[in-house]
Short mmCIF file of all heavy atoms in Angstrom, two decimals:
data_model
loop_
_atom_site.label_atom_id
_atom_site.label_comp_id
_atom_site.label_asym_id
_atom_site.label_seq_id
_atom_site.Cartn_x
_atom_site.Cartn_y
_atom_site.Cartn_z
N ALA A 8 2.84 13.81 2.19
CA ALA A 8 4.24 13.42 1.95
C ALA A 8 4.97 14.35 0.98
O ALA A 8 6.20 14.33 0.93
CB ALA A 8 4.30 11.98 1.43
N ARG A 9 4.26 15.16 0.24
CA ARG A 9 4.88 16.01 -0.78
C ARG A 9 5.69 17.14 -0.16
O ARG A 9 5.22 17.87 0.70
CB ARG A 9 3.81 16.60 -1.69
CG ARG A 9 4.40 17.55 -2.74
CD ARG A 9 3.34 18.18 -3.60
NE ARG A 9 2.82 17.18 -4.51
CZ ARG A 9 1.56 17.16 -4.94
NH1 ARG A 9 0.70 18.05 -4.52
NH2 ARG A 9 1.19 16.23 -5.79
N THR A 10 6.95 17.25 -0.60
CA THR A 10 7.79 18.39 -0.22
C THR A 10 8.03 19.29 -1.42
O THR A 10 8.47 20.42 -1.27
CB THR A 10 9.16 17.93 0.32
OG1 THR A 10 9.90 17.32 -0.75
CG2 THR A 10 9.02 16.98 1.48
N GLY A 11 7.78 18.75 -2.61
CA GLY A 11 8.02 19.50 -3.83
C GLY A 11 9.44 19.34 -4.35
O GLY A 11 9.83 19.93 -5.34
N LYS A 12 10.23 18.52 -3.67
CA LYS A 12 11.61 18.30 -4.07
C LYS A 12 11.76 16.88 -4.63
O LYS A 12 10.96 16.00 -4.34
CB LYS A 12 12.54 18.50 -2.88
CG LYS A 12 12.50 19.92 -2.35
CD LYS A 12 13.56 20.15 -1.30
CE LYS A 12 13.61 21.62 -0.97
NZ LYS A 12 13.05 21.95 0.30
N ILE A 13 12.82 16.68 -5.38
CA ILE A 13 13.08 15.38 -5.96
C ILE A 13 13.23 14.34 -4.85
O ILE A 13 13.76 14.64 -3.78
CB ILE A 13 14.33 15.43 -6.87
CG1 ILE A 13 14.39 14.21 -7.76
CG2 ILE A 13 15.58 15.62 -6.07
CD1 ILE A 13 15.35 14.37 -8.93
N GLY A 14 12.72 13.14 -5.08
CA GLY A 14 12.85 12.08 -4.10
C GLY A 14 11.67 11.97 -3.14
O GLY A 14 11.75 11.27 -2.13
N ASP A 15 10.55 12.66 -3.43
CA ASP A 15 9.38 12.58 -2.57
C ASP A 15 8.79 11.18 -2.51
O ASP A 15 8.16 10.82 -1.53
CB ASP A 15 8.30 13.56 -3.03
CG ASP A 15 8.49 14.96 -2.44
OD1 ASP A 15 9.35 15.11 -1.56
OD2 ASP A 15 7.78 15.87 -2.89
N GLY A 16 8.98 10.38 -3.55
CA GLY A 16 8.55 8.99 -3.50
C GLY A 16 7.53 8.61 -4.55
O GLY A 16 7.26 9.36 -5.49
N LYS A 17 6.94 7.44 -4.36
CA LYS A 17 5.98 6.88 -5.30
C LYS A 17 4.90 6.14 -4.53
O LYS A 17 5.10 5.71 -3.40
CB LYS A 17 6.64 5.86 -6.23
CG LYS A 17 7.75 6.38 -7.11
CD LYS A 17 7.24 6.64 -8.50
CE LYS A 17 8.32 6.92 -9.52
NZ LYS A 17 9.34 7.84 -9.20
N ILE A 18 3.76 5.95 -5.19
CA ILE A 18 2.68 5.12 -4.65
C ILE A 18 2.34 4.07 -5.70
O ILE A 18 2.17 4.40 -6.88
CB ILE A 18 1.43 5.95 -4.32
CG1 ILE A 18 1.75 6.99 -3.24
CG2 ILE A 18 0.28 5.05 -3.88
CD1 ILE A 18 0.61 7.95 -2.96
N PHE A 19 2.25 2.82 -5.26
CA PHE A 19 1.87 1.72 -6.14
C PHE A 19 0.58 1.12 -5.61
O PHE A 19 0.44 0.89 -4.40
CB PHE A 19 2.95 0.64 -6.17
CG PHE A 19 4.31 1.17 -6.57
CD1 PHE A 19 5.24 1.52 -5.60
CD2 PHE A 19 4.64 1.34 -7.90
CE1 PHE A 19 6.48 2.01 -5.95
CE2 PHE A 19 5.89 1.83 -8.26
CZ PHE A 19 6.81 2.16 -7.29
N VAL A 20 -0.37 0.85 -6.50
CA VAL A 20 -1.66 0.28 -6.10
C VAL A 20 -1.86 -1.03 -6.87
O VAL A 20 -1.71 -1.07 -8.08
CB VAL A 20 -2.82 1.24 -6.41
CG1 VAL A 20 -4.16 0.62 -6.04
CG2 VAL A 20 -2.63 2.57 -5.69
N THR A 21 -2.19 -2.10 -6.12
CA THR A 21 -2.46 -3.39 -6.74
C THR A 21 -3.75 -3.97 -6.17
O THR A 21 -4.19 -3.60 -5.07
CB THR A 21 -1.31 -4.39 -6.50
OG1 THR A 21 -1.06 -4.48 -5.09
CG2 THR A 21 -0.03 -3.95 -7.19
N ASP A 22 -4.35 -4.89 -6.92
CA ASP A 22 -5.55 -5.59 -6.45
C ASP A 22 -5.17 -6.66 -5.45
O ASP A 22 -4.12 -7.31 -5.57
CB ASP A 22 -6.28 -6.25 -7.62
CG ASP A 22 -6.97 -5.23 -8.52
OD1 ASP A 22 -7.51 -4.24 -7.99
OD2 ASP A 22 -6.97 -5.43 -9.75
N VAL A 23 -6.03 -6.88 -4.47
CA VAL A 23 -5.85 -7.94 -3.48
C VAL A 23 -6.98 -8.94 -3.70
O VAL A 23 -8.15 -8.57 -3.62
CB VAL A 23 -5.88 -7.38 -2.04
CG1 VAL A 23 -5.85 -8.51 -1.03
CG2 VAL A 23 -4.73 -6.42 -1.83
N GLU A 24 -6.64 -10.16 -3.99
CA GLU A 24 -7.64 -11.18 -4.26
C GLU A 24 -8.28 -11.72 -2.99
O GLU A 24 -9.48 -12.00 -2.97
CB GLU A 24 -7.02 -12.34 -5.04
CG GLU A 24 -6.66 -11.98 -6.46
CD GLU A 24 -6.14 -13.16 -7.23
OE1 GLU A 24 -6.56 -14.31 -6.93
OE2 GLU A 24 -5.31 -12.96 -8.12
N LYS A 25 -7.49 -11.89 -1.95
CA LYS A 25 -8.02 -12.51 -0.75
C LYS A 25 -7.26 -12.03 0.47
O LYS A 25 -6.05 -11.85 0.43
CB LYS A 25 -7.88 -14.03 -0.88
CG LYS A 25 -8.61 -14.83 0.17
CD LYS A 25 -8.56 -16.32 -0.19
CE LYS A 25 -9.46 -17.11 0.71
NZ LYS A 25 -9.54 -18.51 0.31
N VAL A 26 -7.99 -11.84 1.58
CA VAL A 26 -7.39 -11.49 2.86
C VAL A 26 -7.96 -12.45 3.90
O VAL A 26 -9.17 -12.66 3.94
CB VAL A 26 -7.72 -10.04 3.27
CG1 VAL A 26 -7.15 -9.73 4.65
CG2 VAL A 26 -7.18 -9.05 2.26
N ILE A 27 -7.09 -13.00 4.73
CA ILE A 27 -7.52 -13.90 5.80
C ILE A 27 -6.87 -13.45 7.10
O ILE A 27 -5.65 -13.29 7.16
CB ILE A 27 -7.12 -15.36 5.52
CG1 ILE A 27 -7.68 -15.82 4.18
CG2 ILE A 27 -7.55 -16.27 6.67
CD1 ILE A 27 -7.10 -17.13 3.69
N ARG A 28 -7.69 -13.22 8.13
CA ARG A 28 -7.15 -12.91 9.46
C ARG A 28 -6.78 -14.24 10.10
O ARG A 28 -7.63 -15.12 10.29
CB ARG A 28 -8.17 -12.18 10.31
CG ARG A 28 -7.60 -11.73 11.65
CD ARG A 28 -8.66 -11.09 12.53
NE ARG A 28 -9.41 -10.09 11.81
CZ ARG A 28 -9.27 -8.77 11.96
NH1 ARG A 28 -8.41 -8.31 12.82
NH2 ARG A 28 -10.01 -7.94 11.26
N ILE A 29 -5.51 -14.42 10.42
CA ILE A 29 -5.02 -15.70 10.93
C ILE A 29 -5.69 -16.08 12.25
O ILE A 29 -6.09 -17.23 12.45
CB ILE A 29 -3.48 -15.67 11.08
CG1 ILE A 29 -2.84 -15.54 9.69
CG2 ILE A 29 -2.97 -16.89 11.81
CD1 ILE A 29 -1.35 -15.31 9.71
N ARG A 30 -5.83 -15.13 13.16
CA ARG A 30 -6.36 -15.43 14.48
C ARG A 30 -7.77 -15.99 14.45
O ARG A 30 -8.10 -16.95 15.14
CB ARG A 30 -6.32 -14.17 15.36
CG ARG A 30 -6.90 -14.36 16.76
CD ARG A 30 -6.78 -13.10 17.61
NE ARG A 30 -7.36 -11.92 17.00
CZ ARG A 30 -8.65 -11.57 17.11
NH1 ARG A 30 -9.49 -12.31 17.79
NH2 ARG A 30 -9.09 -10.47 16.53
N THR A 31 -8.66 -15.39 13.61
CA THR A 31 -10.07 -15.77 13.63
C THR A 31 -10.52 -16.56 12.41
O THR A 31 -11.60 -17.14 12.41
CB THR A 31 -10.95 -14.53 13.73
OG1 THR A 31 -10.73 -13.71 12.56
CG2 THR A 31 -10.67 -13.75 14.99
#
């Protein structure tokens, strides 16, 4: 994603406590 110009963006990382697949 890097272009080297202003506005390339950000990445945020958070912990996930639980994931549930609705179908199964």
Side-chain angles (χ1 to χ4, degrees):
R9 177 182 287 148
T10 67
K12 297 188 171 106
I13 196 164
D15 274 351
K17 298 260 191 313
I18 298 174
F19 304 96
V20 178
T21 54
D22 288 322
V23 174
E24 290 184 30
K25 191 172 189 174
V26 176
I27 303 168
R28 185 184 311 255
I29 294 172
R30 178 178 54 87
T31 62

